[in-house]
Amino acid sequence: MGEGLLTSGSLPVPWFAVVPYLNFRCCLPYILELPESGVNYLYSSHGLLLAPKGMTIKMMVTLNLTNFNPDYFILAGIPGLEQFYIWIGIPFCTIYLVALAGNSILLYLIVMDRSLHKPMFFFLSMLTSTDLILCTTCVPKTLGIFWLKAHEITFPGCLTQLFFLHFSFFVDSAILLGMAFDRYMAICSPLRYTSVLTPRTIVKIMVGLVGRSFSVILPVVFLVKRLPFCRTHLIPHTYCEHIGVARLACADISINIWYGFAVPLMTIISDLILIGISYTLILRAVFHLPSIDARQKALSTCGSHISVILIFYTPAMFSALTHRFGHNIPHTFHIMFANLYVAIPPALNPIIYGVKTKQIRDKVILLFLSKGMQ
């Protein structure tokens, strides 16, 4: 936004200072009458103008909102539950520690064990890395609000949190699509599986998935950074997210709303459609297998992936529907649900793969048995 003109019209000068509601960065003039001198002073950054007492002063104020970004925001937390913050923080901290431990162990096993250097586990290592980013982006700051009353976050810190929150969400969705393609090739074209999903192809797929997510989310940072924030700096949430921050701006946010709605929606919907097509073809191939044992084995290899898909997309769809149609649902519920969404899936995903995937389950048992024997 460039320079704009704000005309106040004719102002009769009373005995008080007309102080702008914007903060000190907007160099607005104000009017002050000194009763003993009978002279009105119009003070601005351009100098001091005098006017006889009783005379109306016409003001024209120039606002330069080109780069009016705040130094910090205040994260309100969960309004109405302040007295329970200490107790609410305990399960969040427990879930976060489970997510850190589970994903770290899974990532360690995949990196260190050469028998797990297969396409399926390369995708799984990406998923665990992204889950670590997702929960670490939000949960520590939330615990700081609950336990340390650390409500303040700098503007660059808010933009950084906003970027990694949305970026990790889109990478997760893209990885689930990649894993669906992996299962499709393994079940529908097993003879071509190793020739198609070579290490070089997997690296290209990974770069493409991350690059797509980066290119979708990076414009969001600049869409927020361009906005002037001249009203409240209080964010009614425990972390920074795109539309929640944009709504604090004193400017038109139509572009933010349309981009924040249309582009992510098209991206996620396209992922869901392609995942649905993949599993339709997989089920079709499975039910054409002659042996019941072969069917059960093929379905069991997809069980963990389907569970993760449901855990990831179901809360996302529920949250989107409640924000759109659940106008009577308390704001406290939305905030609590949003915090659970960034904490629970990263904690459950390694447990699901550890329980349902025999290779990982055996490696985890061997890891802890060897540590116990030492």
Side-chain angles (χ1 to χ4, degrees):
M1 181 185 300
E3 288 193 346
L5 293 179
L6 175 65
T7 306
S8 64
S10 298
L11 298 177
V13 184
W15 163 225
F16 59 82
V18 181
V19 181
Y21 78 95
L22 301 178
N23 67 21
F24 66 90
R25 290 194 182 190
C26 290
C27 298
L28 295 177
Y30 58 87
I31 304 168
L32 179 66
E33 177 188 347
L34 299 181
E36 63 271 12
S37 64
V39 176
N40 300 329
Y41 293 86
L42 176 61
Y43 180 77
S44 74
S45 59
H46 302 292
L48 188 65
L49 303 177
L50 303 180
K53 184 175 181 179
M55 179 181 179
T56 60
I57 299 175
K58 292 183 181 291
M59 285 201 310
M60 183 164 290
V61 180
T62 302
L63 297 180
N64 187 358
L65 299 178
T66 304
N67 189 25
F68 181 41
N69 298 138
D71 291 328
Y72 62 89
F73 287 113
I74 301 296
L75 295 169
I78 308 177
L81 299 180
E82 290 83 1
Q83 66 270 31
F84 304 111
Y85 276 178
I86 293 177
W87 302 108
I88 295 174
I90 294 174
F92 273 101
C93 183
T94 304
I95 294 170
Y96 179 58
L97 292 177
V98 169
L100 283 182
N103 286 287
S104 298
I105 291 172
L106 206 55
L107 194 59
Y108 171 80
L109 289 174
I110 294 172
V111 171
M112 301 302 295
D113 197 318
R114 294 185 63 86
S115 66
L116 298 180
H117 291 183
K118 298 176 181 178
M120 172 184 170
F121 298 110
F122 279 124
F123 285 115
L124 183 55
S125 67
M126 280 190 67
L127 185 67
T128 57
S129 301
T130 308
D131 282 343
L132 285 172
I133 295 172
L134 176 62
C135 62
T136 303
T137 297
C138 300
V139 179
K141 182 60 183 176
T142 301
L143 294 176
I145 294 172
F146 289 163
W147 290 345
L148 305 176
K149 302 186 186 305
H151 292 269
E152 188 173 300
I153 185 171
T154 63
F155 184 69
C158 185
L159 290 181
T160 302
Q161 187 182 55
L162 180 153
F163 171 80
F164 281 104
L165 168 67
H166 296 296
F167 173 74
S168 56
F169 177 84
F170 278 90
V171 173
D172 264 349
S173 179
I175 293 170
L176 292 177
L177 174 60
M179 296 175 81
F181 176 70
D182 169 78
R183 292 298 86 202
Y184 166 76
M185 291 300 302
I187 294 173
C188 297
S189 301
L191 299 179
R192 299 176 55 210
Y193 180 70
T194 54
S195 61
V196 172
L197 289 177
T198 61
R200 175 174 289 187
T201 302
I202 293 172
V203 170
K204 289 180 180 178
I205 292 173
M206 289 180 175
V207 171
L209 297 179
V210 173
R212 188 201 70 168
S213 304
F214 183 84
S215 62
V216 168
I217 297 304
L218 186 62
V220 171
V221 176
F222 292 101
L223 286 174
V224 173
K225 195 175 188 305
R226 73 184 178 89
L227 295 173
F229 295 90
C230 51
R231 292 198 290 263
T232 179
H233 294 166
L234 182 67
I235 300 175
H237 214 300
T238 56
Y239 54 77
C240 297
E241 55 90 19
H242 176 207
I243 300 300
V245 176
R247 283 175 177 161
L248 302 181
C250 50
D252 183 22
I253 61 169
S254 300
I255 298 176
N256 295 72
I257 292 174
W258 280 108
Y259 189 90
F261 174 77
V263 175
L265 183 66
M266 289 188 294
T267 305
I268 299 301
I269 292 297
S270 64
D271 288 349
L272 274 173
I273 290 173
L274 292 174
I275 290 172
I277 292 172
S278 298
Y279 273 94
T280 300
L281 297 174
I282 288 171
L283 291 175
R284 181 183 174 185
V286 166
F287 288 113
H288 278 82
L289 294 174
S291 169
I292 295 178
D293 291 337
R295 294 177 191 175
Q296 291 179 345
K297 183 177 180 180
L299 289 174
S300 66
T301 61
C302 301
S304 55
H305 185 221
I306 293 174
S307 300
V308 170
I309 289 173
L310 292 175
I311 290 173
F312 180 78
Y313 285 111
T314 303
M317 293 299 177
F318 176 77
S319 180
L321 291 173
T322 54
H323 274 90
R324 178 64 181 85
F325 302 106
H327 302 298
N328 296 326
I329 297 177
H331 187 61
T332 300
F333 174 82
H334 289 295
I335 298 176
M336 182 66 78
F337 188 82
N339 280 277
L340 291 173
Y341 181 65
V342 299
I344 291 180
L348 288 181
N349 289 347
I351 296 174
I352 291 171
Y353 279 102
V355 171
K356 289 184 172 291
T357 308
K358 185 177 183 304
Q359 291 165 286
I360 293 177
R361 184 172 64 248
D362 293 344
K363 299 297 180 184
V364 170
I365 294 172
L366 184 62
L367 175 67
F368 283 101
L369 284 178
S370 62
K371 293 292 184 182
M373 293 177 63
Q374 292 177 0

